[in-house]
Amino acid sequence: MHENLATILTETARRHGDRTAFKLDDVELSYALLDEASARIAGLLRQKGIGEGDRVGLMLPNVPYFPVVYYGILRAGAVVVPMNVLLKEREVRFYLDDPGAKLLFAWHGFADAAERGATDAGVECILVKPSAASQPHTGASGPSFEQLVASQEPHRELADRAADDTAVVLYTSGTTGTPKGAELTHANLRRNCSIVTQKLGGFSEEDVLLGALPLFHSFGQTCAMNAAVGIGAMVTLLPRFDPDKGLEIIQRDRVTVFQGVPTMYNAMLHSDSADGADTSTLRLCISGGSAMPAELMRAFEERFGCIILEGYGLSETSPVASFNHPDRERKPGSIGTPVEGVEMKVVDGDGNDLAPGEVGEIVIRGHNVMKGYWARRDATEQAITADGWFHTGDMAKVDEDGYFFIVDRK
């Protein structure tokens, strides 16, 4: 079996080529066009001497070019290094230097920091700008992205990657020190994506997902982009979250699935357009990132007539580790129970299992746990024990039914 994560695109494009994969306002990208454009990006990378295992930076907001470049990098057998578009020059340099990236694709709107950081790192920077943005005020010269892609010879063959080969190096936020690059494998991401679509969200090709979570973060990347591509659904993109715009898109595109963090739910609940919004097509909302207050959950569900299921995960776990499964009891305030193939437990400072109700650190073991931190063997050994348990740093307790409740950070 071909383990390259990009197979989720090529297989879907074969089945649903004419279906819309990504939409941004009135611009639509079909699965066939996404497949073709990604093959041309793979051709561009090969022409530049970038091959299997090489790292490539990706610094784009939620625009259709993101999946084009993402799957093009994977197609070539290279490794995606997703980067926050708001990074400063010195941060851009770090995110390229640390993994030894050979190339950076960056959005034209953030050209200054991207180009200067890339220059500091000795890395070529390709600015991604749509044809309509080819004016002098963008601060960029050269062809539009469409022209660049069209001029490339497509490389349609997918690089052969093993299950435990690294697909993405996803950097942690660095709130407790220097950011560390979590190495997520093709198997990590394929399995997590499959569980989200089949076991948790029950996604189908008829679903329309609101892509409001940043695609350069784990939540949006796995649970929205990869999940939708894996099943042939449509993602309607929102490059910068605005609650009124979000509600407008839900009504306009008949969105069926919304995924967000609690602050996004709160903003939509209290937005000016909340009362008049038609959200009748929403069948499922998924929350993660931090604990959702029970009163916010109740108020949102009452206002918009939908159900919110809360989950939990980290960059290091691809990301989903636990969820309030749709076929089981939902407990507001809980992050649910472990997903299929994943073990979770709460331990004390010495690694001993704790009884229900006792507070300790969450540890996780399973197919979703990262390969390790990029070039940080010491940090990897500190985080993952010899028998495979990943220490999350999150403090929680478990009830008698096996539901986890986050209490604090360690």
Side-chain angles (χ1 to χ4, degrees), residues 371-395:
K371 189 174 180 176
Y373 291 117
W374 178 268
R376 294 286 297 276
R377 186 173 176 179
D378 55 339
T380 301
E381 290 175 351
Q382 193 175 351
I384 305 175
T385 60
D387 53 356
W389 289 100
F390 169 67
H391 285 252
T392 65
D394 287 321
M395 305 300 285

Side-chain angles (χ1 to χ4, degrees), residues 108-384:
H108 68 94
F110 306 99
D112 288 349
E115 289 189 310
R116 289 201 303 265
T119 298
D120 293 345
V123 172
E124 181 186 355
C125 177
I126 295 177
L127 287 183
V128 175
K129 60 185 190 299
S131 52
S134 302
Q135 291 95 8
H137 73 262
T138 63
S141 57
S144 70
F145 191 70
E146 286 85 353
Q147 290 170 321
L148 177 68
V149 170
S151 68
Q152 304 303 316
E153 280 295 319
H155 184 78
R156 305 190 197 285
E157 188 179 342
L158 268 64
D160 191 11
R161 305 303 282 152
D164 64 348
D165 281 337
T166 303
V168 174
V169 175
L170 199 62
Y171 277 81
T172 60
S173 61
T175 50
T176 55
T178 307
K180 298 185 291 289
E183 288 191 68
L184 302 177
T185 68
H186 289 270
N188 282 153
L189 294 166
R190 283 175 63 99
R191 184 78 182 273
N192 214 251
C193 166
S194 169
I195 283 173
V196 168
T197 55
Q198 297 171 26
K199 306 290 184 181
L200 308 182
F203 293 172
S204 80
E205 62 195 53
E206 302 302 325
D207 274 313
V208 178
L209 284 68
L210 176 55
L213 288 162
L215 297 181
F216 52 75
H217 281 163
S218 189
F219 191 178
Q221 200 175 121
T222 294
C223 303
M225 183 179 73
N226 282 332
V229 169
I231 206 74
M234 181 179 106
V235 181
T236 178
L237 295 165
L238 183 56
R240 186 173 181 176
F241 181 70
D242 171 84
D244 294 307
K245 181 68 172 176
L247 288 167
E248 177 192 320
I249 291 172
I250 288 172
Q251 180 172 322
R252 182 194 73 196
D253 293 337
R254 303 189 63 76
V255 170
T256 60
V257 180
F258 173 65
Q259 303 171 356
V261 296
T263 52
M264 294 165 74
Y265 285 95
N266 190 57
M268 290 170 72
L269 178 64
H270 295 102
S271 71
D272 293 336
S273 53
D275 286 336
D278 178 4
T279 57
S280 57
T281 55
L282 268 187
R283 68 171 185 83
L284 174 65
C285 294
I286 295 174
S287 181
S290 62
M292 173 172 277
E295 59 273 20
L296 171 59
M297 182 181 285
R298 277 194 298 271
F300 190 94
E301 290 180 340
E302 286 174 13
R303 172 67 65 87
F304 298 116
C306 60
I307 184 170
I308 299 173
L309 296 179
E310 196 169 359
Y312 166 77
L314 307 94
S315 298
E316 293 93 336
T317 59
S318 305
V320 188
S322 69
F323 200 73
N324 277 275
H325 293 70
D327 58 348
R328 302 177 204 166
E329 178 190 1
R330 181 184 65 158
K331 295 194 178 186
S334 168
I335 56 171
T337 56
V339 301
E340 181 181 270
V342 171
E343 300 172 83
M344 274 173 58
K345 61 183 182 179
V346 171
V347 299
D348 64 18
D350 296 319
N352 301 310
D353 294 9
L354 294 176
E358 293 189 88
V359 175
E361 183 182 10
I362 295 178
V363 294
I364 300 170
R365 183 168 67 180
H367 54 74
N368 60 337
V369 174
M370 66 173 179
K371 189 174 180 176
Y373 291 117
W374 178 268
R376 294 286 297 276
R377 186 173 176 179
D378 55 339
T380 301
E381 290 175 351
Q382 193 175 351
I384 305 175

